C-alpha cells in the first residue's frame, strides 16, 4: 500500500535495516506519495526487485533532508541511494548518500535516484556512493526523462562503473540540468 502521510524523522537514524527479496518497490517505504523528511538510514542492507531505494522504492511525493550511510543497495534495475524510481512531480531535496555506500543493478543506477520521469525535481543533493551498473548509471540519476529538473547537485563518487550511458551526474538525459 502507498504511504500518503507525513513522516518526520526528527534527525534520527535507522540502523540495521535488512530487506532481502526479489519483489519490486523496496525501501524503508515501498511506495510513497507523502512527505518524508529528516531521516538517515545507516549500516543497512537493502535488496529488492525493480524500483529499490534506501528511503523509497517508488516515489511520487517529497523527500527532504534524508541521508544514506554505510549501506548496500542492490536491485535488478531502477535502483538509487534515496529512491529507485522518482515519478509524477516528486521532489528530492537536500539528500546525501555517503562514500561508504554501494548501489548496484544491471540498469538504471543512480546515487540519488535510479530512474526519474514526469516533472521530477532533484535539488541540492549530493552523492559519494560507489555506483555499479551495466547501462544508464549516473552519480545523481541513471536516466532523466520528461520535465526532470536537476539543480545544484554534486557527485563526488570515486567510482561509477558501467558499459553504456554512464555519467557523473546523469547516465542519459532528456531533462534540464542547472548549475
Amino acid at each position: 500500500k502507498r504511504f500518503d502521510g507525513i513522516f518526520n524523522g526528527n534527525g534520527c537514524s535507522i540502523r540495521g535495516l535488512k530487506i532481502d527479496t526479489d519483489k519490486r518497490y523496496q525501501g524503508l517505504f515501498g511506495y510513497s506519495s507523502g512527505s518524508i523528511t529528516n531521516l538517515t538510514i545507516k549500516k543497512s542492507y537493502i535488496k529488492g526487485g525493480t524500483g529499490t531505494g534506501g528511503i523509497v522504492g517508488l516515489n511520487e511525493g517529497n523527500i527532504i533532508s534524508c541521508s544514506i550511510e554505510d549501506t548496500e543497495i542492490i536491485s535488478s534495475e531502477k535502483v538509487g541511494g534515496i529512491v529507485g524510481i522518482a515519478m509524477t512531480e516528486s521532489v528530492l531535496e537536500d539528500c546525501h548518500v555517503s562514500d561508504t555506500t554501494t548501489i548496484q543493478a544491471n540498469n538504471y543506477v543512480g546515487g540519488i535516484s535510479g530512474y526519474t520521469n514526469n516533472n521530477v525535481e532533484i535539488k541540492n543533493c549530493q552523492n559519494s556512493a560507489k555506483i555499479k551498473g551495466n547501462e544508464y548509471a549516473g552519480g545523481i540519476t541513471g536516466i532523466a526523462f520528461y520535465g526532470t529538473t536537476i539543480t545544484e547537485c554534486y557527485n563526488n563518487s570515486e567510482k561509477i562503473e558501467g558499459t553504456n550511458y554512464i555519467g557523473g551526474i546523469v547516465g542519459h538525459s532528456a531533462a534540464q540540468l542547472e548549475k
Side-chain angles (χ1 to χ4, degrees):
K1 294 190 176 190
R2 175 177 57 171
F3 173 74
D4 196 13
I6 296 171
F7 182 92
N8 185 340
N10 289 319
C12 293
S13 299
I14 294 174
R15 295 173 191 240
L17 175 64
K18 183 174 181 184
I19 298 171
D20 191 355
T21 183
D22 290 328
K23 293 182 180 179
R24 65 184 181 163
Y25 310 144
Q26 298 298 312
L28 179 63
F29 295 88
Y31 176 22
S32 175
S33 62
S35 176
I36 302 167
T37 60
N38 304 312
L39 177 67
T40 299
I41 303 289
K42 292 183 176 182
K43 297 184 179 184
S44 296
Y45 176 83
I46 301 166
K47 178 183 176 280
T50 297
T52 297
I55 305 291
V56 177
L58 173 61
N59 185 60
E60 294 181 336
N62 298 328
I63 301 176
I64 300 169
S65 298
C66 291
S67 299
I68 304 295
E69 298 176 10
D70 196 22
T71 295
E72 187 173 6
I73 305 170
I74 302 167
S75 174
S76 55
E77 67 174 16
K78 299 179 183 170
V79 64
I82 303 296
V83 302
I85 302 169
M87 301 283 291
T88 316
E89 299 181 1
S90 63
V91 174
L92 306 171
E93 185 173 354
D94 295 323
C95 294
H96 305 277
V97 181
S98 77
D99 63 349
T100 56
T101 296
T102 301
I103 303 164
Q104 181 177 340
N106 291 325
N107 302 308
Y108 309 109
V109 187
I112 303 298
S113 173
Y115 184 95
T116 58
N117 192 9
N118 198 9
N119 300 315
V120 173
E121 290 184 57
I122 304 175
K123 300 187 272 189
N124 197 34
C125 292
Q126 182 174 332
N127 171 62
S128 297
K130 296 164 195 73
I131 308 291
K132 297 179 182 180
N134 185 27
E135 293 187 329
Y136 306 103
I140 300 301
T141 185
I143 194 161
F145 280 121
Y146 311 108
T148 298
T149 303
I150 300 172
T151 307
E152 295 187 16
C153 291
Y154 301 93
N155 174 50
N156 297 317
S157 176
E158 292 184 12
K159 191 172 202 176
I160 300 176
E161 293 180 11
T163 56
N164 293 307
Y165 306 106
I166 312 304
I169 299 294
V170 178
H172 177 74
S173 177
Q176 180 177 340
L177 307 177
E178 299 177 6
K179 294 185 186 180

